[in-house]
C-alpha cells in the first residue's frame, strides 16, 4: 500500500492557485531529492489524549506513561470506551483511523468499516411488500449487523506502529469491567430513554439491578463477561473475536429472530481492514487530510472549499449571515454527498470532480440571499455516474478521540456501533453494531436508478465518520478533529473548524458554538445557544429553526497554536483533554 509523504507537497498545495488540479486529490510526494534528505532527529513532543470519557482518556494516558505509542494508547482507549460508553462505540463495531507518523511525516488511512456478509442481498432491507422496512424494526434485527472491523483494524495499525506488546494494552478495561464502574450522567440519561435497543433481552438483562429495575446514573455496573473477553483478546489477538467461541456467538446472535441475518463464521474469518491514501485539500493556511470513500471525508473538504468562496471568515458567530452561508453550503454539500458517496470497490465515486475548483465555485454560486424553497439537487461533477439519491438515516451512536505520543505520532479515530447501543444484541459483554442500516434500504429509486450505497456482499456502507488531521505549510502536525453525530458529523466538524480557524476562537470555544445542520428540507439547530438576533436573522433568510431541536455532537479536537496544544472536548458530552503523561 502506497503511503504519502507530506513535506514539500504541503507548501505546494497551500501556495498553488485554486485552479491547480493538485488541490483535487491526495497530496503528491516531494521531488526525489527532497525525499532523499536525511530526516532530522525526532524531537519529543507533548503527548495528549482527548476522548469522550475520563476513564478511557486515563487508560490511554497510562499507556503513554509506560512508553507506549499513540496506537498503543488508542487501543486502550477503545477497549475502555466499549465498556463505559457502550451506547457509542465498541469492539463489536467499526472505525476509521487517520495516522500521522511523527518521524517520516507519512499519513495513512486505516479503514475498519464493517462489511456486509457474503450472503447479503440488495433487497435485505425490503419487507414482503417490496417496501423498505421501518427503521425501528431494522435497527434491532439480526440482519442489521455487519462484520465488525474495529479490532482487526487496530491490530493492523499496532502491527505497523505499536511499541508495547498487544497483550499489555487491555488491563485497565479488564480491571474496570471486573470491579465495575459508576454509570455516568450521559449513559444514565440514555438508559432513561425508550430506545428500541434497550428493549432487547440482552440489554434488559445487562442493565438490570438486583430487583430487575434498570440501573441509572450513580449505580455501579460490572461486566465480568467483557473482562473475560478482553483477557482472551489480549492473549490471543484478533482471533479472539474473528474465530472460536466469540465468533460462533456473533453468528448465532445475528441469525436469531426477528429478521435474522446472514453472517457466517467464514465472513468473520475473512474480514480484512484496508489501508488507503489520505485525501487532502487546502483550507486557509492548512492542509486538511481525511479518509477517502466510503468515508464522507471528501464532502467535508467540499464544504470547506465552498465556504472559502464566501466571506464567512470576515464575519463571526454573532452574525446571522455567517450562519446562513454555512447552512446553504451545507445543503449543497449534502446533496452531492447523498448522491455519490459509497464504497469505491462497488461504485464509481467522482472524488476529484467534487473538489475541482470550477465545480466548487459553481456550487457556491448557488447560494443566494435567502434559503432555497426546495432542497438543492446534486450537481454533476466530472466523473459522475447517474445514481439514485440516498436518504439513509445515520444515528449518533459514535465516538471520536485523538492521541499524540512523545515521538509526534498522531492517531485521529472515529469509532462506532452505529445507533445508540448498536443493535441491542450483545456477545461476551459488548454490543454488536447495526451498521448495515447505513446502507440505502432501497437499492434503486422510482426511476430504477441504482443507489451508490445499495447493499452488496462484502460491501462497506457509506460513512459520515471523518477523522481529520491538519498540517501546516511545513508539513508539520497542526491539528486534528472528528465527531460523533451520524450524518451531522460533517456539519459539526466544519462548524468547529470555521470557529477555530476563521473566527480565531479557542478550540474549546469553537466546539461550544451552537450546532446548525442543514440537509435537504431540514434545518436543525440549537436555538437557545445562538447569540441574540441570530435566530431572527436566519428566519428572515428562510432558515427557520424550531425550539426543542437538539444537535448532540461529540466533537473532539486540537489545534497547535504557537507550538502549544489548544485542545477541546465537546461540552455536550463528558470528554476530557489530558496533556502530558500525568507524571
Amino acid at each position: 500500500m502506497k503511503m504519502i509523504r507530506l513535506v514539500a507537497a504541503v507548501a505546494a498545495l497551500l501556495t498553488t492557485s485554486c485552479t491547480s488540479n493538485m488541490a483535487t486529490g491526495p497530496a503528491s510526494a516531494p521531488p526525489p531529492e527532497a525525499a532523499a534528505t536525511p530526516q532530522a532527529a525526532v524531537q519529543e513532543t507533548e503527548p495528549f489524549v482527548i476522548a469522550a470519557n475520563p476513564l478511557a482518556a486515563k487508560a490511554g494516558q497510562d499507556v503513554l506513561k509506560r512508553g507506549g505509542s499513540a496506537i498503543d494508547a488508542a487501543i486502550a482507549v477503545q477497549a475502555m470506551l466499549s465498556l463505559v460508553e457502550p451506547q457509542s462505540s465498541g469492539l463489536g463495531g467499526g472505525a476509521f483511523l487517520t495516522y500521522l507518523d511523527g518521524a517520516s511525516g507519512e499519513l495513512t488511512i486505516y479503514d475498519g468499516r464493517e462489511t456486509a456478509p457474503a450472503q447479503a442481498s440488495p433487497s435485505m432491507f425490503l419487507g414482503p411488500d417490496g417496501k423498505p422496512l421501518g427503521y425501528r424494526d431494522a435497527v434491532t434485527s439480526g440482519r442489521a449487523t455487519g462484520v465488525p472491523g474495529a479490532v482487526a483494524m487496530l491490530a493492523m495499525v499496532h502491527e505497523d506502529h505499536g511499541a508495547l506488546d498487544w497483550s499489555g494494552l487491555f488491563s485497565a478495561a479488564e480491571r474496570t469491567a471486573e470491579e465495575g464502574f459508576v454509570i455516568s450522567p450521559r449513559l444514565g440519561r440514555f438508559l432513561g430513554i425508550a430506545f428500541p435497543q434497550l428493549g432487547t433481552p440482552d440489554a434488559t438483562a445487562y442493565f438490570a439491578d438486583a430487583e430487575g429495575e434498570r440501573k441509572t446514573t450513580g449505580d455501579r455496573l460490572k461486566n465480568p463477561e467483557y473482562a473475560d473477553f478482553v483477557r482472551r483478546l489480549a492473549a490471543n489477538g484478533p482471533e479472539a473475536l474473528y474465530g472460536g467461541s466469540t465468533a460462533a456467538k456473533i453468528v448465532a446472535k445475528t441469525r436469531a429472530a426477528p429478521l435474522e441475518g446472514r453472517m457466517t463464521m467464514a465472513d468473520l474469518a475473512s474480514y480484512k481492514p484496508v489501508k488507503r491514501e489520505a485525501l487532502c485539500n487546502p483550507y486557509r493556511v492548512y492542509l486538511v487530510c481525511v479518509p477517502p470513500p466510503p468515508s464522507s471525508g471528501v464532502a467535508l473538504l467540499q464544504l470547506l472549499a465552498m465556504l472559502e468562496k464566501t466571506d464567512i471568515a470576515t464575519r463571526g458567530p454573532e452574525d446571522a449571515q455567517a450562519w446562513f452561508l454555512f447552512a446553504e453550503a451545507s445543503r449543497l454539500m449534502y446533496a452531492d454527498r447523498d448522491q455519490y458517496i459509497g464504497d469505491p470497490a462497488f461504485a464509481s465515486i467522482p472524488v476529484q470532480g467534487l473538489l475541482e475548483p470550477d465545480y466548487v465555485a459553481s456550487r457556491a454560486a448557488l447560494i443566494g440571499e435567502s434559503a432555497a424553497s426546495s432542497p438543492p439537487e446534486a450537481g454533476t461533477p466530472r466523473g459522475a455516474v447517474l445514481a439514485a439519491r440516498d436518504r439513509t438515516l445515520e444515528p449518533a451512536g459514535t465516538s471520536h478521540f485523538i492521541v499524540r505520543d512523545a515521538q509526534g505520532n498522531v492517531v485521529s479515530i472515529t469509532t462506532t456501533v452505529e445507533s445508540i447501543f448498536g443493535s441491542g444484541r450483545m456477545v461476551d459483554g459488548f454490543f454488536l453494531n447495526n451498521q448495515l442500516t447505513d446502507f440505502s434500504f432501497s437499492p434503486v429509486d422510482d426511476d430504477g436508478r441504482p443507489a451508490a450505497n445499495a447493499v452488496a456482499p462484502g460491501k462497506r456502507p457509506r460513512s459520515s465518520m471523518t477523522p481529520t488531521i491538519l498540517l501546516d505549510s511545513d508539513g508539520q502536525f497542526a491539528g486534528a478533529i472528528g465527531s460523533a453525530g451520524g450524518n451531522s458529523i460533517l456539519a459539526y466538524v466544519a462548524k468547529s473548524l470555521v470557529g477555530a480557524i476563521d473566527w480565531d476562537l479557542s478550540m474549546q470555544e469553537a466546539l461550544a458554538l451552537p450546532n446548525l445542520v442543514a440537509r435537504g428540507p431540514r434545518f436543525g439547530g440549537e436555538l437557545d445557544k445562538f447569540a441574540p438576533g441570530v435566530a431572527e436573522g436566519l428566519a428572515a433568510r428562510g432558515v427557520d429553526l424550531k425550539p426543542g431541536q437538539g444537535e448532540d455532537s461529540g466533537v473532539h479536537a486540537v489545534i497547535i497554536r504557537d507550538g502549544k496544544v489548544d485542545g477541546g472536548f465537546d461540552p455536550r458530552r463528558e470528554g476530557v483533554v489530558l496533556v502530558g503523561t500525568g507524571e
Side-chain angles (χ1 to χ4, degrees):
M1 173 65 191
K2 178 185 176 184
M3 292 190 293
I4 56 174
R5 186 183 299 273
L6 295 167
V7 182
V10 179
L13 271 172
L14 293 175
T15 57
T16 300
S17 164
C18 286
T19 60
S20 169
N21 285 336
M22 292 182 68
T24 66
S28 58
E33 60 271 19
T37 301
Q39 291 289 324
V42 178
Q43 294 183 343
E44 286 206 355
T45 59
E46 194 167 31
F48 58 79
V49 181
I50 306 174
N53 181 280
L55 292 175
K58 183 63 165 57
Q61 186 184 50
D62 288 347
V63 168
L64 293 177
K65 185 177 180 178
R66 291 195 281 124
S69 68
I71 185 57
D72 294 334
I75 291 167
V77 171
Q78 177 65 92
M80 186 67 81
L81 285 175
S82 189
L83 176 67
V84 301
E85 199 191 31
Q87 72 273 20
S88 297
S89 74
L91 302 184
F96 285 93
L97 186 152
T98 302
Y99 184 88
L100 175 65
D101 187 290
S104 68
E106 292 174 339
L107 272 174
T108 309
I109 303 299
Y110 291 86
D111 176 349
R113 186 65 162 161
E114 299 89 337
T115 56
Q119 297 178 17
S121 70
S123 60
M124 65 185 290
F125 289 111
L126 299 179
D129 58 0
K131 295 182 180 178
L133 295 171
Y135 185 77
R136 289 180 69 89
D137 295 327
V139 74
T140 56
S141 71
R143 65 188 63 174
T145 298
V147 181
V151 170
M153 181 271 285
L154 290 170
M156 175 185 277
V157 191
H158 182 263
E159 180 70 21
D160 291 346
H161 302 289
L164 302 179
D165 287 342
W166 170 274
S167 61
L169 304 177
F170 300 89
S171 56
E174 178 188 342
R175 182 176 61 255
T176 305
E178 287 279 15
E179 298 174 354
F181 65 95
V182 176
I183 293 175
S184 69
R186 179 173 174 78
L187 175 54
R189 176 165 65 85
F190 281 123
L191 291 176
I193 300 174
F195 294 111
Q197 294 90 328
L198 288 176
T200 63
D202 290 341
T204 298
Y206 178 47
F207 292 116
D209 61 19
E211 286 73 40
E213 299 295 322
R214 185 173 295 166
K215 292 187 175 185
T216 188
T217 302
D219 290 338
R220 181 167 291 273
L221 183 61
K222 296 183 179 181
N223 192 336
E225 289 186 346
Y226 187 72
D228 178 68
F229 172 70
V230 295
R231 191 180 301 118
R232 289 188 289 111
L233 181 62
N236 302 326
E239 175 63 19
L241 188 145
Y242 294 96
S245 62
T246 297
K249 291 175 186 176
I250 292 173
V251 170
K253 190 69 69 171
T254 60
R255 285 182 168 263
L259 297 174
E260 58 273 11
R262 301 165 187 176
M263 194 181 300
T264 66
M265 293 285 283
D267 290 318
L268 286 157
S270 62
Y271 179 85
K272 294 291 188 294
V274 179
K275 288 185 188 180
R276 303 186 189 274
E277 290 188 7
L279 184 66
C280 299
N281 214 46
Y283 184 68
R284 311 302 185 190
V285 299
Y286 297 103
L287 191 68
V288 182
C289 296
V290 298
S295 162
S296 295
V298 62
L300 173 65
L301 299 182
Q302 186 197 43
L303 175 55
L304 293 173
M306 282 191 284
L307 291 173
E308 206 162 20
K309 299 290 185 183
T310 73
D311 65 351
I312 194 170
T314 67
R315 299 179 181 275
E318 298 182 353
D319 189 328
Q321 178 64 13
W323 291 104
F324 168 76
L325 293 170
F326 184 83
E328 287 298 276
S330 296
R331 294 175 87 194
L332 291 162
M333 173 273 291
Y334 278 116
D336 281 356
R337 195 290 297 254
D338 292 354
Q339 184 94 357
Y340 296 118
I341 304 304
D343 186 337
F346 290 80
S348 177
I349 315 298
V351 172
Q352 292 196 354
L354 288 167
L355 296 178
E356 285 181 345
D358 288 347
Y359 180 73
V360 169
S362 71
R363 297 295 278 168
L366 297 176
I367 301 175
E369 295 183 1
S370 62
S373 56
S374 58
E377 296 292 329
T380 309
R382 181 175 61 84
V385 176
L386 194 63
R389 186 172 185 182
D390 185 355
R391 295 175 175 82
T392 302
L393 297 173
E394 294 177 57
T398 302
S399 197
H400 182 81
F401 61 93
I402 307 164
V403 183
R404 183 173 74 173
D405 61 30
Q407 286 69 48
N409 305 305
V410 181
V411 166
S412 180
I413 175 174
T414 311
T415 172
T416 186
V417 288
E418 177 51 356
S419 61
I420 305 301
F421 302 109
S423 69
R425 302 183 184 208
M426 298 184 76
V427 165
D428 288 344
F430 59 86
F431 283 97
L432 298 179
N433 70 82
N434 65 302
Q435 208 64 255
L436 299 191
T437 59
D438 268 2
F439 281 121
S440 173
F441 282 21
S442 296
V444 297
D445 65 11
D446 293 340
D447 297 322
R449 294 178 299 184
N453 191 38
V455 183
K459 189 174 182 179
R460 287 163 153 80
R462 184 190 68 204
S463 174
S464 294
M465 294 189 290
T466 313
T468 302
I469 285 182
L470 280 65
L471 302 174
D472 64 20
S473 59
D474 295 322
Q476 300 299 308
F477 174 69
I481 190 169
S483 183
N487 55 53
S488 298
I489 287 173
L490 303 166
Y492 296 156
V493 171
K495 173 219 72 172
S496 302
L497 289 175
V498 167
I501 297 172
D502 292 345
W503 299 340
D504 200 29
L505 300 176
S506 72
M507 187 54 77
Q508 193 61 49
E509 291 170 331
L511 303 191
L513 286 171
N515 287 319
L516 175 59
V517 180
R519 182 189 183 210
R522 178 184 178 274
F523 297 101
E526 297 174 300
L527 191 59
D528 59 339
K529 293 185 179 180
F530 286 100
V534 169
E536 293 79 4
L538 285 171
R541 293 167 171 83
V543 179
D544 192 13
L545 302 177
K546 303 296 184 184
Q549 291 179 331
E551 286 294 342
D552 197 9
S553 56
V555 193
H556 295 103
V558 63
I559 196 165
I560 306 301
R561 302 183 193 268
D562 299 323
K564 296 181 180 179
V565 174
D566 178 11
F569 58 89
D570 199 312
R572 300 159 189 82
R573 299 206 173 193
E574 297 169 338
V576 63
V577 177
L578 299 182
V579 179
T581 59
E583 295 176 319

